[in-house]
Amino acid sequence: MSVIRFLSFAVILLILISTVFAQPYSIKGQLWVSGGLIENQSNFMMDIGYVPTVSAYYNLRNGRMIDLEWGYRLDRSYSGNSLTLKNANNYRYWVRYSSDKLEARVGLQKIVFGPSLVLRSLSWFDTIDQKDPTRKTDGVEAFRMRWFPASSLSLWTWAILNDQDTLSYGGRGELSTNIGNFGFTYHQDPSKYLQMIGQSSIPISGPHYRLAIDYRYDGFIGLWNESAMIKYDRLELDMITVGADYTLPISNGIPIMTESIYISSK
């Protein structure tokens, strides 16, 4: 069992024992059902999923807080009356310390960033499927910290542990200005095994680093860009996403959006 996994379970267990029955907590869940017919198949295909979630928090002094969350995911897929997929696993388990200027979280968590909505060049650590209305994503075992030195600036850092217990690390800065919001991201991964990155499941083999810049402008027309470079084994992979949106002044407003992505290797 990895160090992060062990520490996460241990801390969550201790906090649950000491606070869950004395401090505010909540128990909730999300259920989804989808189905349809596939061409040339007579059976009706159906997917059922449910994620029960337990969360609790403990208020400290001076606006500081400790909270935790644990979620478990259950999935079933059917073809007619036959069960074709059965899956049950931890979906989230993390503990977080937060204050006005700092947030630190450890455990199985979601790490998502970037302004793109559909074709996401910065889909580095998530598995969000835009065809899925629940926008569920697998988590990563990680330590992530965010520092807010000013209202217009936030600094991120993280360390992520993969299934082979290899530690990768990186950071991100976000700056808000009068001309738009900027993001600068770097990630270093020393893993030697083959892995799939991004929504396109691009295969990357061996140690590599990732570098990206993103931008969003909200005005009469919303504009955004994500530009990422992945460097590995004397090869370079470039991904660029460009998007725009606008709200038509009809009734209460009709939003329209477009995105395109460019991928090249050299």
Side-chain angles (χ1 to χ4, degrees), residues 46-80:
M46 183 171 65
D47 297 318
I48 302 175
Y50 180 62
V51 177
T53 303
V54 178
S55 59
Y57 67 91
Y58 182 78
N59 287 319
L60 304 173
R61 295 179 179 178
N62 301 321
R64 297 171 297 160
M65 182 180 71
I66 293 177
D67 64 328
L68 61 91
E69 182 175 287
W70 174 75
Y72 199 76
R73 180 165 179 167
L74 304 168
D75 291 287
R76 300 291 186 272
S77 295
Y78 295 89
S79 176

XYZ file of all heavy atoms in Angstrom, residues 46-80:
290
model
N -27.820 -1.025 -20.924
C -28.127 -0.115 -19.814
C -26.941 -0.042 -18.855
O -26.321 -1.061 -18.539
C -29.369 -0.574 -19.070
C -29.788 0.371 -17.940
S -31.405 -0.049 -17.230
C -31.039 -1.651 -16.525
N -26.644 1.167 -18.422
C -25.596 1.414 -17.432
C -26.215 2.045 -16.197
O -27.010 2.988 -16.298
C -24.519 2.345 -17.987
C -23.780 1.754 -19.178
O -23.469 0.556 -19.131
O -23.529 2.490 -20.145
N -25.839 1.545 -15.031
C -26.331 2.060 -13.754
C -25.132 2.345 -12.858
O -24.198 1.523 -12.760
C -27.267 1.058 -13.050
C -28.461 0.722 -13.948
C -27.765 1.625 -11.723
C -29.353 -0.352 -13.372
N -25.125 3.501 -12.223
C -24.038 3.857 -11.322
C -24.548 4.593 -10.099
O -25.568 5.283 -10.151
N -23.831 4.437 -9.004
C -24.209 5.111 -7.764
C -22.947 5.407 -6.951
O -22.056 4.553 -6.831
C -25.170 4.262 -6.934
C -25.613 4.913 -5.634
C -26.333 6.102 -5.652
C -25.283 4.349 -4.402
C -26.733 6.715 -4.476
C -25.681 4.951 -3.212
C -26.405 6.139 -3.258
O -26.793 6.746 -2.096
N -22.852 6.627 -6.432
C -21.716 7.037 -5.601
C -22.246 7.584 -4.279
O -22.703 8.739 -4.222
C -20.838 8.098 -6.295
C -19.711 8.534 -5.365
C -20.266 7.568 -7.593
N -22.243 6.796 -3.205
C -22.551 7.346 -1.881
C -21.344 8.086 -1.337
O -20.202 7.657 -1.507
C -22.871 6.092 -1.045
C -22.085 4.999 -1.698
C -22.012 5.333 -3.165
N -21.583 9.209 -0.673
C -20.489 10.066 -0.204
C -20.753 10.500 1.237
O -21.862 10.928 1.569
C -20.346 11.313 -1.093
O -20.128 10.906 -2.445
C -19.177 12.171 -0.642
N -19.718 10.399 2.057
C -19.760 10.867 3.440
C -18.741 11.988 3.579
O -17.584 11.841 3.161
C -19.437 9.733 4.436
C -19.450 10.269 5.870
C -20.421 8.591 4.289
N -19.141 13.104 4.150
C -18.228 14.221 4.367
C -18.452 14.803 5.757
O -19.549 14.724 6.311
C -18.427 15.306 3.298
O -19.765 15.789 3.321
N -17.392 15.369 6.313
C -17.465 15.996 7.630
C -16.455 17.123 7.688
O -15.482 17.139 6.922
C -17.193 14.974 8.733
N -16.674 18.074 8.571
C -15.723 19.177 8.717
C -15.627 19.604 10.171
O -16.537 19.367 10.987
C -16.096 20.358 7.826
C -17.373 21.067 8.199
C -17.361 22.149 9.079
C -18.590 20.679 7.649
C -18.532 22.804 9.421
C -19.762 21.330 7.981
C -19.727 22.392 8.866
O -20.890 23.045 9.198
N -14.503 20.217 10.483
C -14.220 20.681 11.840
C -13.661 22.096 11.746
O -12.613 22.321 11.127
C -13.209 19.753 12.514
C -12.890 20.121 13.940
C -13.764 19.819 14.976
C -11.699 20.780 14.256
C -13.469 20.156 16.284
C -11.398 21.125 15.563
C -12.285 20.809 16.574
O -12.004 21.153 17.865
N -14.349 23.054 12.333
C -13.920 24.445 12.304
C -12.848 24.708 13.356
O -13.015 24.354 14.531
C -15.111 25.374 12.549
C -16.029 25.443 11.345
O -15.566 25.498 10.205
N -17.337 25.436 11.585
N -11.750 25.323 12.902
C -10.691 25.733 13.802
C -10.800 27.239 14.058
O -11.758 27.879 13.641
C -9.329 25.390 13.183
C -9.123 23.924 12.801
C -7.819 23.751 12.043
C -9.150 23.030 14.031
N -9.820 27.799 14.684
C -9.847 29.230 14.977
C -9.418 30.041 13.755
O -8.764 29.539 12.855
C -8.914 29.537 16.153
C -9.340 28.901 17.476
C -8.347 29.253 18.570
N -8.740 28.679 19.856
C -8.025 28.803 20.981
N -6.878 29.502 20.950
N -8.437 28.256 22.107
N -9.792 31.307 13.768
C -9.345 32.291 12.769
C -9.700 31.877 11.342
O -8.894 32.050 10.411
C -7.841 32.517 12.890
C -7.420 33.011 14.272
O -8.128 33.823 14.882
N -6.293 32.510 14.761
N -10.881 31.336 11.140
C -11.347 31.008 9.806
C -10.714 29.786 9.177
O -10.868 29.561 7.971
N -10.002 28.981 9.947
C -9.392 27.774 9.414
C -10.337 26.584 9.589
O -11.201 26.584 10.462
C -8.052 27.503 10.111
C -6.998 28.579 9.878
C -5.797 28.350 10.771
N -6.163 28.451 12.175
C -5.430 27.918 13.168
N -4.336 27.241 12.888
N -5.833 28.056 14.423
N -10.133 25.560 8.776
C -11.053 24.428 8.801
C -10.338 23.167 8.329
O -9.430 23.214 7.495
C -12.260 24.711 7.893
C -13.310 23.607 7.870
S -14.710 23.995 6.776
C -13.924 23.825 5.175
N -10.750 22.031 8.872
C -10.343 20.717 8.387
C -11.600 19.977 7.946
O -12.576 19.913 8.697
C -9.607 19.911 9.472
C -8.264 20.560 9.810
C -9.385 18.476 9.016
C -7.504 19.858 10.921
N -11.602 19.458 6.725
C -12.736 18.668 6.268
C -12.230 17.425 5.545
O -11.055 17.321 5.179
C -13.679 19.491 5.391
C -13.025 19.948 4.097
O -11.810 20.187 4.090
O -13.744 20.084 3.092
N -13.117 16.480 5.370
C -12.770 15.219 4.733
C -13.948 14.725 3.907
O -15.096 15.141 4.101
C -12.374 14.168 5.772
C -13.432 13.759 6.816
C -14.265 12.573 6.348
C -12.771 13.433 8.150
N -13.638 13.832 2.975
C -14.682 13.244 2.135
C -14.283 11.826 1.748
O -13.111 11.545 1.464
C -14.907 14.084 0.884
C -16.011 13.559 -0.024
C -16.295 14.475 -1.190
O -16.901 15.539 -0.964
O -15.882 14.140 -2.314
N -15.264 10.940 1.751
C -15.058 9.569 1.285
C -16.250 9.193 0.397
O -17.409 9.380 0.772
C -14.954 8.588 2.442
C -14.878 7.157 1.970
C -13.818 6.520 1.410
C -15.938 6.191 2.027
N -14.128 5.223 1.100
C -15.434 4.988 1.472
C -17.258 6.219 2.477
C -16.199 3.826 1.360
C -18.023 5.063 2.374
C -17.494 3.893 1.826
N -15.941 8.714 -0.802
C -16.978 8.281 -1.730
C -16.624 6.924 -2.313
O -15.445 6.611 -2.540
N -17.637 6.124 -2.582
C -17.454 4.774 -3.125
C -18.316 4.639 -4.371
O -19.506 4.994 -4.357
C -17.863 3.733 -2.087
C -17.308 2.363 -2.355
C -15.980 2.070 -2.081
C -18.108 1.356 -2.881
C -15.459 0.806 -2.311
C -17.603 0.092 -3.122
C -16.270 -0.180 -2.830
O -15.755 -1.433 -3.073
N -17.714 4.147 -5.456
C -18.416 4.092 -6.733
C -18.828 2.664 -7.071
O -18.010 1.735 -7.008
C -17.537 4.648 -7.852
C -18.218 4.615 -9.215
C -17.491 5.478 -10.219
N -18.124 5.419 -11.535
C -17.864 6.244 -12.539
N -16.970 7.204 -12.367
N -18.477 6.136 -13.696
N -20.092 2.512 -7.447
C -20.653 1.225 -7.864
C -21.162 1.367 -9.286
O -21.951 2.269 -9.583
C -21.799 0.812 -6.933
C -21.463 0.730 -5.433
C -22.749 0.612 -4.614
C -20.544 -0.456 -5.152
N -20.715 0.482 -10.184
C -21.123 0.512 -11.584
C -21.623 -0.863 -12.008
O -21.029 -1.901 -11.661
C -19.947 0.902 -12.496
C -19.538 2.348 -12.321
O -20.276 3.222 -12.777
O -18.470 2.580 -11.719
N -22.687 -0.856 -12.798
C -23.223 -2.079 -13.384
C -23.623 -1.781 -14.827
O -24.204 -0.744 -15.123
C -24.447 -2.588 -12.615
C -24.206 -2.930 -11.151
C -23.345 -4.154 -10.986
N -23.236 -4.548 -9.596
C -22.316 -4.094 -8.757
N -21.406 -3.220 -9.205
N -22.273 -4.501 -7.504
N -23.300 -2.713 -15.724
C -23.713 -2.608 -17.126
C -24.433 -3.884 -17.511
O -23.990 -4.993 -17.169
C -22.500 -2.386 -18.043
O -21.880 -1.149 -17.778
N -25.540 -3.723 -18.250
C -26.365 -4.866 -18.645
C -26.583 -4.854 -20.149
O -26.720 -3.798 -20.770
C -27.730 -4.812 -17.944
C -27.660 -4.967 -16.446
C -27.502 -3.848 -15.626
C -27.759 -6.221 -15.852
C -27.434 -3.987 -14.248
C -27.700 -6.364 -14.475
C -27.535 -5.251 -13.676
O -27.476 -5.383 -12.306
N -26.593 -6.045 -20.716
C -27.005 -6.262 -22.096
C -28.203 -7.195 -22.050
O -28.059 -8.399 -21.843
C -25.873 -6.884 -22.917
O -26.304 -7.173 -24.230
N -29.384 -6.609 -22.202
C -30.588 -7.392 -21.969
C -30.678 -7.743 -20.499
O -30.619 -6.873 -19.620
